[in-house]
Amino acid sequence: MSETNLRLLVVSNRLPVVISQAEDGWDVEPAAGGLVTALSPLIKKRRGLWIGWPGCGPEAPVTSLLQEYSKDAQFDLKPVVLSQDEVDMYYHGFSNQTIWPLFHDLLGHCLFDAENWSAYVDVNRKFAEVIAESIQPGCFVWIHDYQLMLVGHFLREMGLDYRLNFFLHIPFPSRDLFRRLPWKQELIQALLEYDHIGLQTVNDYRNFIQSVRSLVPEASARSYRRQSRVRYGQREVILGHYPISIDFHEFNSAAKSPEVADAAWYLHENLGSKVLVLGLDRLDYTKGLLERLLAFERMLEKYPDAQSNISLVQIVIPSRVKVPDYLDLKQLLDEQVGRINSHFSHHGWVPIHYMYRHLGREQLLGHYRACEIALITPLRDGMNLVAKEYCASTVDDNGVLILSEFAGAAAQLGRGALIVNPYDLESTADAIYAAYIMEPEERRRRMRTLRNEIKRNDVHRWVRWFLDDTPEAGDRKATSLAEHTTG
Ligand code: GDG
């Protein structure tokens, strides 16, 4: 197969665009996100194809909108059209109320519903059918995330014997947790029909191998330095761990722009406190939002000298509001913020500035630059890109990152960050205070360590790591793809 006809075919639940109704028709805007940034240079270079759900209903003329959009985008987009029932059961149901909480160790949030599972199976088959229309020899197929774990299986069932690659963006749970899933056997066997599976951290990778060993005894796994090879039937599956990252240079240079510097200055002036602590998360019970508010409150109680001088700026980005647990969380957050603010506030000082909305890019970077401390305390997280973005945007080195030990990013950022257990309110409160009183020299030393780490292991390196480990690694095909990841 010649390297010139090698085409990148990316598949994810959502297409990397946002389609919305405008006054005089429809708008198609690029969606922001790490995956788009990571894969854009490569997919443009190869005039690749991105397949996914467009995120809107049948009322939009999706095919023509996407055709028009792809002329400028320099890659093609193909929709998988889903009905409202399919979205409710496959996406809000099985993906977000079963797999999401289970894989984040939060069994109490799990709903095990056979109809949702059945919708998940059907929609994964539907994705495979759309892929099958476009796949051809020479395609590099890269399927992403927990919504699409069965797609490889259905492509095999159709007799398609292409190399199939998969990356899981969320954690893989321990064997004991994974065992609770009524459809564990179907899921793990389906995953073994991919040729190459990437996980975020060594911990996820070990968990996955343990589940394979206990649930698929006929498979044999041999471990090498950074990867394992699992023999299963006629197939050999490569497993590896590849921590996703961000485009360091893009954040670093955008954060230096005068517009962002102005936004940061304005924010700091208006919020009044000497020290600002940033929390920025999607509305999600995995992000440890309630625990964070309580830890901040505990810090104010325990260290009264910090009162009047420090405020938490908590941005919550609306997400999955059709799932009842998310709505409940929103209500609890509103109550807790109200309670803490009414207890501590006094004239000219509010302990928590809380906003429930999306931020534009300039505002996002302005918040990163304005805040002296980032408090990122998920109960569990595949990686957490916000932690990396905060450091890349802290261009004056004057920032402290407090990071949960249960975020995938802790494995890489542990040397520069203050690492906390988000369930331990007492020591999280102590870490906030330690960051508040930290000497400028130590802040700079830690931040430089963090920034160097993220600069070295950026998102382009993530793509190269993954491609270098593909079954054809070392041959001209994988190497030639990797060469183009830095644009
Ligand atoms: C999953 C895994 C893993 C957020 N709000 C705004 C905004 N964002 C951008 C951030 C960041 C991204 O969204 C959030 O990324 P995270 O990694 O923090 O979290 P998840 O959405 O849960 O992502 C996670 C990731 O996949 C990648 O593999 O790290 O563990 O759960 O890039 O900047 N961007 C703008 N306005 C916002 O209001 N512009």
Side-chain angles (χ1 to χ4, degrees), residues 194-401:
Y194 287 107
D195 293 289
H196 182 191
I197 299 174
L199 299 137
Q200 297 269 26
T201 67
V202 69
N203 190 43
D204 303 321
Y205 160 85
R206 286 192 187 127
N207 284 346
F208 186 81
I209 292 175
Q210 281 177 358
S211 280
V212 169
R213 288 204 165 115
S214 75
L215 295 170
V216 195
E218 63 275 32
S220 62
R222 288 177 58 192
S223 295
Y224 299 85
R225 209 166 62 88
R226 280 187 51 93
Q227 55 162 244
S228 286
R229 288 168 182 250
V230 178
R231 242 201 190 282
Y232 180 49
Q234 297 301 307
R235 191 169 294 288
E236 185 174 72
V237 188
I238 304 230
L239 306 177
H241 45 102
Y242 315 95
I244 198 168
S245 193
I246 58 160
D247 187 333
F248 177 89
H249 291 290
E250 210 251 311
F251 276 90
N252 183 51
S253 56
K256 285 180 183 158
S257 72
E259 294 78 14
V260 170
D262 281 356
W265 179 86
Y266 188 78
L267 196 70
H268 219 297
E269 283 295 296
N270 274 288
L271 296 185
S273 277
K274 205 169 87 190
V275 172
L276 298 177
V277 182
L278 178 68
L280 190 140
D281 318 74
R282 274 188 310 100
L283 177 69
D284 203 303
Y285 48 78
T286 61
K287 300 289 182 185
L289 288 156
L290 284 170
E291 293 76 2
R292 185 180 311 161
L293 296 180
L294 298 178
F296 191 76
E297 177 185 29
R298 182 72 192 116
M299 187 277 300
L300 294 174
E301 279 166 2
K302 206 169 168 181
Y303 304 101
D305 61 297
Q307 291 180 28
S308 308
N309 291 321
I310 187 167
S311 292
L312 174 64
V313 181
Q314 179 62 57
I315 315 289
V316 176
I317 293 106
S319 172
R320 302 183 192 169
V321 281
K322 290 208 167 167
V323 176
D325 284 358
Y326 287 67
L327 279 180
D328 294 348
L329 173 64
K330 167 75 172 55
Q331 196 175 339
L332 283 169
L333 286 173
D334 291 353
E335 285 166 12
Q336 290 297 333
V337 171
R339 185 185 60 75
I340 297 169
N341 275 348
S342 69
H343 180 74
F344 287 94
S345 298
H346 56 72
H347 189 66
W349 175 69
V350 177
I352 304 176
H353 299 276
Y354 167 60
M355 276 169 279
Y356 177 67
R357 62 174 168 91
H358 288 272
L359 295 181
R361 182 128 182 105
E362 204 171 283
Q363 277 299 313
L364 177 81
L365 293 166
H367 278 77
Y368 287 151
R369 272 207 70 174
C371 295
E372 287 83 2
I373 300 171
L375 184 56
I376 300 181
T377 51
L379 304 179
R380 195 86 176 87
D381 216 331
M383 181 53 53
N384 197 296
L385 296 180
V386 171
K388 294 185 173 183
E389 292 169 4
Y390 171 75
C391 298
S393 308
T394 302
V395 290
D396 53 6
D397 295 335
N398 181 28
V400 183
L401 173 65

Side-chain angles (χ1 to χ4, degrees), residues 126-176:
K126 200 173 202 179
F127 267 80
E129 283 162 3
V130 176
I131 296 168
E133 291 164 9
S134 307
I135 203 168
Q136 16 172 284
C139 274
F140 183 93
V141 184
W142 198 355
I143 296 166
H144 289 264
D145 227 0
Y146 66 104
Q147 304 92 348
L148 303 178
M149 290 187 283
L150 307 179
V151 169
H153 163 75
F154 286 117
L155 287 167
R156 301 290 181 221
E157 209 176 69
M158 290 172 201
L160 296 172
D161 202 23
Y162 296 101
R163 294 243 171 241
L164 300 175
N165 305 284
F166 178 79
F167 188 80
L168 185 69
H169 290 256
I170 65 172
F172 196 87
S174 71
R175 179 179 48 187
D176 269 359

Side-chain angles (χ1 to χ4, degrees), residues 6 13 24 78 116 184 213 215 255 343 380 421 463 475:
L6 188 65
N13 169 58
D24 54 345
K78 186 164 185 172
N116 285 349
K184 56 183 179 285
R213 288 204 165 115
L215 295 170
H343 180 74
R380 195 86 176 87
N421 172 356
V463 175
D475 78 4

